[in-house]
Amino acid sequence: MNPPAALVDQVLAGQRLALARLITLLENEDPAGRAALDRLFAHTGRAHIIGVTGSPGAGKSSLVNQLARSFRHPAAEVQPLTVAIIAVDPTSPFTGGALLGDRVRMRDLAGDAGVFIRSMASRGALGGLARATAAAAQALDAAGFDVILIETVGAGQAEVDIARLAHTTLVVEAPGMGDDIQAIKAGILEIADILVVNKADRPGAENTLRALRGMLENGRNSADGWQTRLVATVATEQRGIAELRAAIDAHAAHLRAGSAWAERDQARLQAELEALVQRELVARWRAGLSPADYQQTLKRLAARELSPYQALEQLLTQAERGG
Ligand SMILES: Nc1nc2c(ncn2[C@@H]2O[C@H](COP(=O)(O)OP(=O)(O)OP(=O)(O)O)[C@@H](O)[C@H]2O)c(=O)[nH]1
Ligand SMILES: [Mg+2]
């Protein structure tokens, strides 16, 4: 029996255990996972991938939970959608407290066959995590989930990479985080299709909303003509969830109306491909290089005998000779 083929069939048939196994293979960068994904890739491209990022404790998991419920239990006459949730935690190991907490917060979704929840933790480099998350999203897409919600913490490169993976990116803030507004200014606003001020029941919510509204007015109107929306929510009381859903649906409709969906899809795939190319070329370059030569070049660089560009030329020449 050819294991990738069997696994592929099981994933396409929506078998949860097979899907969980595949994601573990992908997380471990196991060649069997990659082989399975090669076959599954033709079945991807249908899911709406939604990234949810923002500062720690802002209420991302609570919102993801509420959104999943709203996709599963829509208003009458609307078809429920199936939902996969990936909680990405770059800091905690698998048994981390945050993920345990998420399981409690997402408890009411457990047992629903139309919901699949998976947490992913870093096993090393953050690049590895972003890669594994992209691969897991492809597996879930192929398995037929209509919506894939990806939760990440923070405002670093990992979030930007994961935002690049999403069709729609939500940035979640809570009131009273003065510094975070600076952080938002510094870049995360750039990636937000929808800005959510959660914990709108807390003091200072009005100020935060006003500050963000001001930034949006001066700020961008994205290249594809979407104006970032601002939504206030209280995830714990299910307030603002309908408005948030409406904003998400409006963004999806906006993307689908023109060529934006296809353009984002292509940009996503291009980013993924280029990350792979970069990694592979660096790996090949390193493999072709003698460590002694490399150390020698680094020494000459530090001694100012070579400039960085000269060092580069030397390394490239050495790699060509070696490879
Ligand atoms: N008052 C209030 N509390 C909330 C709201 N939403 C979430 N919380 C609480 O805030 C805490 C953090 O919520 P989470 O949903 O875990 O936040 P998170 O952003 O996923 O947290 P991390 O994943 O650890 O970064 C929990 O105790 C929630 O019950 C809200 O709208 N209002
Ligand atoms: Mg969380």
Side-chain angles (χ1 to χ4, degrees):
M1 190 180 72
N2 183 350
L7 194 58
V8 164
D9 290 342
Q10 288 163 354
V11 168
L12 289 175
Q15 288 186 26
R16 303 169 74 88
L17 218 57
L19 194 50
R21 248 183 62 216
L22 173 58
I23 294 176
T24 302
L25 291 174
L26 295 170
E27 217 164 22
N28 295 332
E29 307 211 320
D30 187 309
R34 199 162 130 181
L37 210 56
D38 287 345
R39 291 167 185 242
L40 286 169
F41 189 72
H43 299 269
T44 65
R46 268 197 52 245
H48 181 194
I49 304 176
I50 303 172
V52 181
T53 190
S55 20
K60 300 177 296 295
S61 299
S62 307
L63 278 172
V64 162
N65 185 11
Q66 293 298 339
L67 284 173
R69 287 169 46 138
S70 97
F71 285 116
R72 293 302 295 146
H73 309 288
E77 286 154 42
V78 180
Q79 276 291 100
L81 300 175
T82 55
V83 181
I85 298 170
I86 307 178
V88 183
D89 192 330
T91 49
S92 320
F94 260 172
T95 50
L99 297 180
L100 233 57
D102 283 347
R103 257 179 228 130
V104 173
R105 268 186 277 304
M106 294 179 185
R107 189 169 42 196
D108 48 340
L109 298 171
D112 179 346
V115 177
F116 184 93
I117 304 176
R118 171 74 180 218
S119 32
M120 317 231 346
S122 171
R123 300 258 168 104
L126 278 183
L129 186 58
R131 222 162 28 238
T133 304
Q138 279 172 10
L140 292 162
D141 187 350
F145 286 95
D146 298 312
V147 176
I148 302 173
L149 290 158
I150 304 178
E151 177 188 339
T152 55
V153 190
Q157 187 57 41
E159 286 63 47
V160 175
D161 286 348
I162 288 161
R164 231 177 254 137
L165 183 72
H167 298 102
T168 302
T169 299
L170 275 54
V171 173
V172 183
E173 283 303 314
M177 297 176 157
D179 293 347
D180 279 312
I181 298 213
Q182 291 310 117
I184 285 189
K185 240 186 200 158
I188 209 152
L189 195 62
E190 300 295 311
I191 67 170
D193 297 305
I194 301 168
L195 255 176
V196 185
V197 175
N198 187 46
K199 305 197 184 182
D201 55 326
R202 289 278 182 82
E206 268 315 313
N207 285 340
T208 305
L209 279 165
R210 198 175 313 115
L212 291 175
R213 201 172 290 126
M215 272 179 216
L216 287 179
E217 275 161 13
N218 308 328
R220 70 162 204 169
N221 198 334
S222 77
D224 60 19
W226 172 257
Q227 180 68 52
T228 304
R229 297 243 189 137
L230 182 61
V231 183
T233 58
V234 183
T236 41
E237 292 166 20
Q238 302 182 32
R239 272 161 53 197
I241 304 302
E243 290 79 358
L244 180 55
R245 257 307 296 281
I248 290 172
D249 293 350
H251 187 246
H254 166 81
L255 291 181
R256 288 194 162 109
S259 54
W261 187 280
E263 280 162 16
R264 280 210 185 196
D265 194 53
Q266 189 172 331
R268 282 169 357 95
L269 293 173
Q270 183 176 345
E272 189 184 346
L273 176 63
E274 285 176 7
L276 288 175
V277 168
Q278 203 167 55
R279 183 169 69 126
E280 189 59 31
L281 290 183
V282 169
R284 286 186 194 181
W285 165 71
R286 274 194 181 275
L289 194 69
S290 110
D293 283 352
Y294 191 27
Q295 286 310 318
Q296 188 56 33
T297 305
L298 288 175
K299 262 200 203 120
R300 294 189 61 202
L301 176 65
R304 269 56 183 182
E305 291 169 24
L306 293 174
S307 77
Y309 277 102
Q310 289 170 323
L312 168 69
E313 285 305 323
Q314 187 171 81
L315 288 173
L316 290 177
T317 315
Q318 283 165 355
E320 270 160 31
R321 270 210 312 273

